[in-house]
Amino acid sequence: MSTINNILNIVLPPLSLVLLPIYMLPYLFFKLFIYVKSLFYKENMAGKVVLITGAASGLGEQLAYEYARQGARLSLVDIKKENLVEVADMATSLGSPDVIIIGADVSKVQDSKQFVDETINYFGQFSDAVNHLVNNAGVGGDPRLIEDCSDVTKYTSIMDTNFWGAIHGTLQAIPHLKNSKGRIIVIASYTGWFPLPRLSFYNASKAAVISFFETLRLELGWCIGITIVTPGFLKTKMALRAYEYEASLRIIPMGSTFECAKEIVKSACRGNMYVTNPSWVKVMFPFKMFYPELVDWAQQHVFGLLPKSSKNGNLHILKNNQVLKEE
């Protein structure tokens, strides 16, 4: 096996440089065809059933309103059920023919089974009981450096909600989504592929979400569509709290939840695999891929993370493969 790997190490790099330009032109034509097709065809959501988690505020609330404008029937889920009442009333006034609200904690398997079952039972008279599942529920946690996190158990709720919360509901809904040839929309974050300092656990949870749903897309094939959303910082209570807690994050401009929700629903109805809003965030991806050292250096400067010499601190210097300490 080592011989095969050695051969591949030698052959594949130059071969890829030859093949990439050759495949680029056909791929661009394919993307153009998909784009033109999307201009003339998009899924009509009128009368269809959409299940949205974390719908009581922020992006989830705006997604409920946007789907309501499309005439969709809504199943709104949030851990704070009382906050869903006003959202449901607004969604009805915007055009949704039927709205139910369900109080549930997405991080719990039993609660996830409950809100999927309640949705199916309530909208069971329709052949397509669930058409879109929107995994939006999420938490952020307080921004801080990793070395300052002495008790990591305080941050397990981030993974429980952001990652497992999306998994639990998805696994319960997959059989119904297969029947309706429906779609999963999962709200990740651009920090899943462009991690920001002081948000390590949040970054990790969103990276796990992206990886899981890309794998799920491979396994499901064309049975269920999957749209992965990687928004930038949006003006939500969670983001405002992070801004208030950590001043260095304020350099990042906030996007609009209204505009983001509008783009998500439009892209999901067109069958897009990915959505990023604000769109300028996508520019960061090639920089992260091709110039990782530059990106890390820039972030360290912007967020004030460059090491500072201290008379009282320990200065570690690597010289001739030896670590020297200055007390």
Side-chain angles (χ1 to χ4, degrees):
M1 294 299 292
S2 61
T3 303
I4 296 176
N5 283 322
N6 289 334
I7 294 173
L8 292 175
N9 289 338
I10 297 171
V11 173
L12 279 186
L15 183 61
S16 64
L17 292 177
V18 175
L19 293 179
L20 282 174
I22 293 175
Y23 287 129
M24 180 60 71
L25 188 60
Y27 178 72
L28 290 177
F29 276 112
F30 170 75
K31 293 292 287 184
L32 178 63
F33 170 76
I34 296 297
Y35 174 74
V36 173
K37 180 183 176 183
S38 69
L39 295 177
F40 295 96
Y41 169 79
K42 68 174 185 176
E43 185 178 2
N44 182 7
M45 295 306 300
K48 293 190 175 181
V49 178
V50 180
L51 195 164
I52 306 173
T53 65
S57 62
L59 181 58
E61 178 183 357
Q62 293 301 322
L63 284 167
Y65 297 156
E66 190 59 33
Y67 272 111
R69 294 185 185 96
Q70 304 293 324
R73 294 177 167 87
L74 302 176
S75 175
L76 305 180
V77 179
D78 200 279
I79 195 170
K80 298 178 180 178
K81 184 178 180 179
E82 64 278 6
N83 293 349
L84 289 171
V85 176
E86 186 177 345
V87 178
D89 291 340
M90 177 61 75
T92 301
S93 68
L94 289 173
S96 177
D98 204 352
V99 183
I100 62 168
I101 60 175
I102 304 170
D105 183 350
V106 297
S107 67
K108 298 178 180 178
V109 177
Q110 192 57 41
D111 280 22
S112 297
K113 185 177 186 306
Q114 169 208 332
F115 68 68
V116 172
D117 288 346
E118 284 191 34
T119 302
I120 298 301
N121 293 334
Y122 185 86
F123 294 108
Q125 68 270 32
F126 306 103
S127 57
D128 298 337
V130 178
N131 298 95
H132 282 194
L133 168 66
V134 184
N135 290 306
N136 169 75
V139 296
D142 296 329
R144 64 178 63 232
L145 296 173
I146 296 175
E147 59 186 330
D148 295 333
C149 301
S150 56
D151 184 7
V152 295
T153 59
K154 294 179 180 179
Y155 300 90
T156 56
S157 61
I158 296 177
M159 187 63 76
D160 289 342
T161 302
N162 295 359
F163 178 68
W164 289 111
I167 306 304
H168 295 326
T170 296
L171 294 180
Q172 298 295 331
I174 280 178
H176 309 290
L177 289 166
K178 280 185 175 181
N179 291 335
S180 65
K181 295 183 179 179
R183 176 166 293 274
I184 298 169
I185 297 92
V186 58
I187 310 301
S189 170
Y190 84 106
T191 63
W193 50 260
F194 193 90
L196 295 177
R198 298 184 174 89
L199 297 174
S200 53
F201 297 103
Y202 178 82
N203 298 340
S205 69
K206 293 304 185 180
V209 165
I210 294 171
S211 181
F212 177 88
F213 281 93
E214 285 182 334
T215 305
L216 185 63
R217 182 193 286 140
L218 291 173
E219 295 180 357
L220 291 175
W222 299 103
C223 296
I224 299 173
I226 295 180
T227 298
I228 299 174
V229 184
T230 53
F233 268 54
L234 302 178
K235 195 172 183 179
T236 63
K237 291 180 180 179
M238 184 170 69
L240 288 171
R241 180 184 177 186
Y243 273 38
E244 181 180 353
Y245 197 92
E246 180 50 59
S248 64
L249 294 175
R250 295 172 193 167
I251 193 173
I252 305 171
M254 285 189 180
S256 164
T257 54
F258 171 78
E259 293 296 333
C260 188
K262 191 174 181 180
E263 183 65 25
I264 290 169
V265 174
K266 181 175 71 174
S267 297
C269 291
R270 287 178 174 175
N272 292 358
M273 296 171 64
Y274 297 95
V275 186
T276 302
N277 184 275
S279 60
W280 66 263
V281 174
K282 290 185 285 188
V283 177
M284 307 307 294
F285 186 80
F287 280 92
K288 181 66 177 176
M289 177 178 292
F290 294 111
Y291 311 110
E293 297 87 356
L294 176 62
V295 169
D296 286 355
W297 176 83
Q299 287 200 81
Q300 287 174 335
H301 268 279
V302 170
F303 293 104
L305 297 174
L306 288 176
K308 298 177 181 179
S309 59
S310 174
K311 293 181 179 179
N312 299 324
N314 292 333
L315 178 62
H316 298 268
I317 305 174
L318 185 64
K319 186 176 182 180
N320 297 329
N321 297 322
Q322 293 181 336
V323 176
L324 306 180
K325 281 188 180 181
E326 179 182 313
E327 301 295 341

